[in-house]
Amino acid sequence: MSAITLLRPSLDWLPAYEDALARGWSPNTDQDVSREQLRQLRRDPARFLHDLYNSPMIRLSDGREVPRLPAHDFWISDGEFCGRIGFRFQPGTEDLPKSAYGHIGYTIVPWKQRRGYATEALRRILPVARAEGFARVLITCDDDNEGSRKVILANGGVPAGRTPHDRRPGHSKLNFWVPTTEA
């Protein structure tokens, strides 16, 4: 595996993000937002980047708008754009609103998958959660996403039940608590 780094989203890396969108990658694992984001990015790159991470509201997959949670968002790089990872939270509590499945979400572009990048990115974002006062974080994955389940378990994930999947009838989200302390 090449060494990866977590980068704050920036205009310098926006062309690489744009290329990933153009190749069909979606930063949202529950719905394909690649075409919509590509259109917005090409219209006004600086505004797109600002709104992507600083808008006070977010649109859910069902169309509802809800307040954005505080978050630390990163792009994953091995010298090239590899994906994104983010930690969202409500200060002072492990609780999350029903609109958020877990504290950490990540996705790797298809052409960089199965290289250990998600496992390493998750390992690197856990200290960010620890710095915000979290001893553990909730991470979920689709019940049929074996790769993500392995990523979570490799980082110390402890199974914590299931949650019905609101976008895929007959499926569920597997819940895991992952300690933020160094192993």
Side-chain angles (χ1 to χ4, degrees):
M1 175 180 83
S2 300
I4 68 152
T5 55
L6 300 185
L7 308 168
R8 294 287 181 182
S10 69
L11 284 173
D12 291 342
W13 276 89
L14 197 56
Y17 186 93
E18 178 181 7
D19 178 64
L21 292 172
R23 292 172 70 177
W25 168 76
S26 176
N28 185 320
T29 58
D30 283 329
Q31 64 179 339
D32 184 356
V33 297
S34 59
R35 287 186 299 276
E36 176 186 335
Q37 282 200 1
L38 196 56
R39 189 171 42 257
Q40 293 171 356
L41 185 156
R42 289 178 173 164
R43 188 175 326 130
D44 187 339
R47 181 176 179 147
F48 168 79
L49 186 62
H50 177 269
D51 290 352
L52 188 60
Y53 296 108
N54 298 297
S55 173
M57 302 294 283
I58 60 167
R59 184 178 308 280
L60 301 178
S61 57
D62 65 7
R64 290 182 297 137
E65 287 198 359
V66 297
R68 176 182 298 280
L69 294 174
H72 294 279
D73 295 293
F74 298 94
W75 290 347
I76 303 165
S77 171
D78 65 357
E80 298 175 355
F81 182 83
C82 300
R84 61 155 298 276
I85 189 166
F87 164 61
R88 60 187 169 244
F89 61 100
Q90 294 188 112
T93 180
E94 288 180 343
D95 295 339
L96 288 166
K98 292 193 184 308
S99 60
Y101 281 120
H103 291 105
I104 295 176
Y106 51 86
T107 178
I108 304 297
V109 295
W111 52 94
K112 297 277 185 171
Q113 292 177 356
R114 293 174 196 55
R115 297 183 188 187
Y117 289 6
T119 300
E120 181 64 13
L122 179 52
R123 185 186 71 75
R124 289 177 182 237
I125 203 169
L126 291 173
V128 174
R130 187 170 52 249
E132 288 289 352
F134 286 78
R136 65 182 188 167
V137 290
L138 180 67
I139 304 177
T140 68
C141 67
D142 288 359
D143 56 5
D144 58 354
N145 188 338
E146 184 65 19
S148 192
R149 190 180 70 77
K150 287 179 180 179
V151 166
I152 297 166
L153 292 174
N155 278 281
V158 177
R162 295 172 176 258
T163 303
H165 199 302
D166 69 357
R167 301 266 309 156
R168 298 179 64 207
H171 287 272
S172 60
K173 291 280 190 179
L174 303 178
N175 302 324
F176 298 87
W177 284 107
V178 178
T180 63
T181 54
E182 296 185 45

